[in-house]
Amino acid sequence: MLERPGDPLAEGREAEVFLQPDGTVLKLWRDPGSGDRARRESAALTALRAAACRVPAPLGTVEVDGRPGLLLERVEGD
């Protein structure tokens, strides 16, 4: 289990995004019942990468403080 880092890098209505010390990105959903959303987003990113779209690689789903999360590769750029 990962520990939630300090301040979010970005946040929205449904999730917060944190930069991890190892350079990966952690997206944490606010609703503890959003585990399916994390898995669906991971599957969508995998499909987009297979279609040669430039999106971050999903590195796995996680749980932090009872909240579902998605660990992602950090992608630089616009």
Side-chain angles (χ1 to χ4, degrees):
M1 183 179 342
L2 297 174
E3 289 186 25
R4 184 171 62 94
D7 296 328
L9 180 65
E11 60 183 299
R13 182 177 53 137
E14 297 182 3
E16 298 172 291
V17 178
F18 300 90
L19 182 60
Q20 296 289 106
D22 65 0
T24 60
V25 173
L26 173 63
K27 180 175 181 178
L28 273 183
W29 275 264
R30 295 180 190 280
D31 179 4
S34 296
D36 277 349
R37 297 199 67 193
R39 288 185 289 280
R40 285 194 313 264
E41 185 164 327
S42 178
L45 289 169
T46 299
L48 286 167
R49 286 180 65 81
C53 295
R54 189 167 187 250
V55 297
L59 303 174
T61 57
V62 296
E63 185 177 302
V64 179
D65 296 333
R67 294 167 56 188
L70 181 57
L71 198 57
L72 302 160
E73 163 192 43
R74 182 176 182 185
V75 175
E76 297 286 337
D78 298 330

